[in-house]
Amino acid sequence: MFKAPGLLDSFLAFAKLNLTSVSILDNLVALLKVALYWLTFGLILHLISRGIWVGMVGLSFTFPDGIHKEKLKLSPRFQKKVDEIPRIEQIIINLEKLCSSLFSISFMMFMVVIGGYLFLFIVLILPILSFLLYFGSNNLSEHVDFSLQIYAYITFGIGVIGLFDFITLGLLKRIKWLSAIYYPIHKVISFLTLSRFYRPIYFTLISNYNKWKIGISLLIFVVISVFMLETISNEGSLPGEAWSRISIWNNSSLINS
């Protein structure tokens, strides 16, 4: 997992030397690196937690009676602290829940990042890129250019609506009159973002944990992901950076390179 981002950089460098146009690969590589970073981070936390879990399981086998409080001979103040320590069996159960949740959340974060890019690529980037390649970017009238901008803003707005519903834990689905309008949009977004692969994890988490904590965590996840994507995309002064922005059709150098 640690080697994967470097391999992606090598692939991008190879593409720049051997392909005529690699503009669309710049942000794709950046996004894959962001997804891999989240997956690696989650699996590291899972590995650490699972290591602690294994240690507690071994400890419970070696010392099945747990803590012998009477042998500690502590003062009442410190004895109270020892009394608050859960039994080893309960600690093992809590660690098992944590480990399993971390593993699932890591996969969900990876798929959310990949799914978000697939939505933008299929609905926004691919259609506009195909249009520009067919008609040329230097021969567009103001009317056509304006129409492309409107299409891009509408597409981006639909994506923002889906992201808002994702962060707010299905707020749009809970409002009866609004859910009827949002349903077809949700169907399209769900299909393009491959949400069927992580939907069980998502709904399991939001129905078993504190909704405010989950919502804030998702918001932090999205903000950090956008920041990471922007930072990685700007590491090199490549023309492909513009493909992740609304003004992609204005960068005529991408088509003529």
Side-chain angles (χ1 to χ4, degrees):
M1 293 295 293
F2 281 122
K3 293 181 179 180
L7 294 175
L8 287 172
D9 289 334
S10 300
F11 164 73
L12 185 59
F14 171 83
K16 293 175 188 176
L17 294 175
N18 295 275
L19 300 179
T20 57
S21 177
V22 293
S23 57
I24 210 168
L25 293 178
D26 294 321
N27 278 352
L28 175 60
V29 169
L31 180 132
L32 288 175
K33 289 171 68 175
V34 171
L36 286 170
Y37 288 147
W38 278 118
L39 184 60
T40 304
F41 174 72
L43 293 181
I44 288 174
L45 292 180
H46 172 266
L47 183 61
I48 295 173
S49 301
R50 185 62 72 180
I52 299 174
W53 175 86
V54 171
M56 296 304 297
V57 171
L59 193 65
S60 66
F61 178 79
T62 306
F63 304 103
D65 296 331
I67 302 174
H68 293 281
K69 300 177 182 178
E70 67 281 359
K71 294 183 178 181
L72 297 177
K73 298 180 181 180
L74 300 176
S75 65
R77 177 175 298 179
F78 290 98
Q79 184 64 40
K80 183 179 178 181
K81 294 292 184 181
V82 176
D83 293 336
E84 294 174 354
I85 299 176
R87 290 183 55 84
I88 294 181
E89 291 78 5
Q90 186 59 47
I91 295 176
I92 293 173
I93 293 173
N94 293 338
L95 284 171
E96 174 60 36
K97 292 179 180 179
L98 175 63
C99 294
S100 300
S101 298
L102 283 173
F103 197 90
S104 300
I105 291 172
S106 301
F107 174 76
M108 186 185 75
M109 291 190 298
F110 177 83
M111 288 303 303
V112 166
V113 175
I114 298 298
Y117 185 83
L118 282 177
F119 172 80
L120 291 177
F121 177 78
I122 296 173
V123 179
L124 179 62
I125 298 176
L126 188 60
I128 294 180
L129 178 61
S130 302
F131 182 88
L132 292 178
L133 289 174
Y134 184 79
F135 292 100
S137 60
N138 297 324
N139 301 319
L140 298 180
S141 64
E142 293 184 2
H143 177 74
V144 174
D145 184 71
F146 178 74
S147 299
L148 289 176
Q149 293 186 41
I150 295 298
Y151 172 77
Y153 280 115
I154 292 175
T155 304
F156 189 75
I158 292 175
V160 171
I161 292 174
L163 182 61
F164 174 80
D165 184 70
F166 175 76
I167 295 176
T168 58
L169 312 183
L171 177 62
L172 301 181
K173 301 184 187 74
R174 295 196 296 268
I175 303 175
K176 188 174 182 179
W177 65 271
L178 191 58
S179 62
I181 302 174
Y182 177 66
Y183 181 76
I185 299 176
H186 169 72
K187 292 289 289 185
V188 173
I189 294 176
S190 297
F191 176 76
L192 295 178
T193 58
L194 306 178
S195 65
R196 62 184 177 275
F197 292 108
Y198 60 85
R199 188 184 295 123
I201 301 173
Y202 175 76
F203 283 112
T204 300
L205 291 175
I206 67 176
S207 61
N208 286 278
Y209 288 98
N210 184 280
K211 287 184 170 57
W212 282 104
K213 293 181 180 180
I214 295 295
I216 293 175
S217 299
L218 290 176
L219 179 61
I220 294 173
F221 162 69
V222 171
V223 171
I224 293 177
S225 296
V226 173
F227 174 78
M228 291 170 63
L229 181 60
E230 187 69 17
T231 301
I232 295 174
S233 298
N234 292 331
E235 286 180 351
S237 56
L238 299 174
E241 296 170 4
W243 286 112
S244 65
R245 300 178 175 86
I246 296 300
S247 59
I248 60 176
W249 55 86
N250 291 324
N251 195 344
S252 58
S253 62
L254 298 177
I255 307 300
N256 300 325
S257 61

